[in-house]
Amino acid sequence: MEFLTQPWPWYVAGPIIGLFVPLLYWAGNKPMGISSSLRHTCAACVPANIPFFKYDWKAQGGWNMLFVLGVTIGGFIGGYLFANPDPIALSESTVQDLTALGITSFEGFIPKDLFSFDMILTPVGFIVMVLGGFLVGFGARYAGGCTSGHAISGISALQTASIMATIGFFAGGLIMTHLIFPLIF
Amino acid sequence: MNAIKYILLGTGFGFVLTKAEVISWFRIQEMFRFQDFHMFGIIGVAIVVGIISVQIIKRFELKAADGEKINIPDKDPTQVKRYMIGGLLFGFGWALTGACPGPLFALIGSGLFIIIVPLIAALAGTWVYGLLQQKLPH
């Protein structure tokens, strides 16, 4: 029971996450990935005659849609039913840095100072939630994959493309955190 | 039957992401500030396990559950611009929302319905990419 509510250390979670690469190949010859499900959703709901969304999304992406449905259920089981009652054990220096940026709430998975329905129309809330989300979707498709498809699954298959994309992901995150965050917070 | 298989695998994946706290905005900040080994340990070990698994699959020509030979697709390494520019833009979004696509779904599942906002924004971003695809350098 404790194992289910407590956070898992990196040396437990890391190998299990890595095993999803062979598990999905074994289960149905699928390269693991998440962000394609966003494309399939667009293709299913608003294809608008755009060539990028004109394909048989059910045949190509049906499995991926079911997989992300599962991820949502997994979040419910792990983050709601068996939620960790304690705040995340962040490093002291991270708490200090984020406090300096104006973050006051360190409970749960996301800072309530930034993520709330009241914040959507404030400049900071809009940038974090709306612009941030937009860039995640736009960037993932532009780069041809996200952290799962490139950093985990692609690098596992030793793809040069995925190594380049992952360097881009990290460079972008570092620029945003160190150069742009001080300007927007 | 096939449907249940993928839902169960996704459930397992979402559960691990949640228990590993990979879905935490704070953990992503900690990573980009190099203030804890946690995230690097997870991604690093996952990649090592993935590389070993793929090598085993290739060397022994393992078959999938349905008996078909496992096919590991190659990604075109010549489209350098798309990986660098797309990667950078994704990285900006990753640091802002503190979530890549997998965690967006897991966070909503955990009851944080506000994350529907970045998810809808991510769908909009995906759609706009589709609209502009032929005009963007790849």
Side-chain angles (χ1 to χ4, degrees), chain B residues 117-130:
Chain B
V117 175
L119 179 65
I120 292 172
L123 284 167
T126 304
W127 193 85
V128 171
Y129 170 76

Side-chain angles (χ1 to χ4, degrees), chain A residues 4 8 20 26-27 29 46 50 70 76 78 82 91 94 97 109 130 133 141-142 147 156 159 164 169 172 174 178 181, chain B residues 5 9 11 19 25 29-30 32 35 47 50 65 69 71 74-75 77 82 91-92 100 109 114 121-122 127 130 137:
Chain A
L4 291 178
W8 296 358
F20 276 88
W26 173 77
N29 236 326
V46 247
I50 297 168
F76 172 71
F82 297 104
S91 82
T94 307
D97 285 3
F109 291 120
V130 180
R141 252 348 355 97
Y142 199 164
T147 339
S156 289
Q159 298 295 308
M164 288 191 275
F169 297 164
L174 292 176
H178 296 280
F181 265 26
Chain B
K5 180 172 75 182
L9 280 168
T11 304
K19 284 299 136 193
W25 187 92
Q29 273 299 302
E30 202 178 45
F32 284 134
Q35 288 164 334
I47 289 173
K69 188 172 168 283
N71 166 43
D74 284 317
K75 297 178 201 281
R82 85 176 284 183
F92 291 160
C100 37
I114 183 66
W127 193 85

Side-chain angles (χ1 to χ4, degrees), chain A residues 119-135:
Chain A
M119 288 292 289
I120 295 173
L121 294 178
T122 66
V124 177
F126 186 85
I127 291 171
V128 169
M129 289 184 275
V130 180
L131 182 65
F134 184 90
L135 288 170

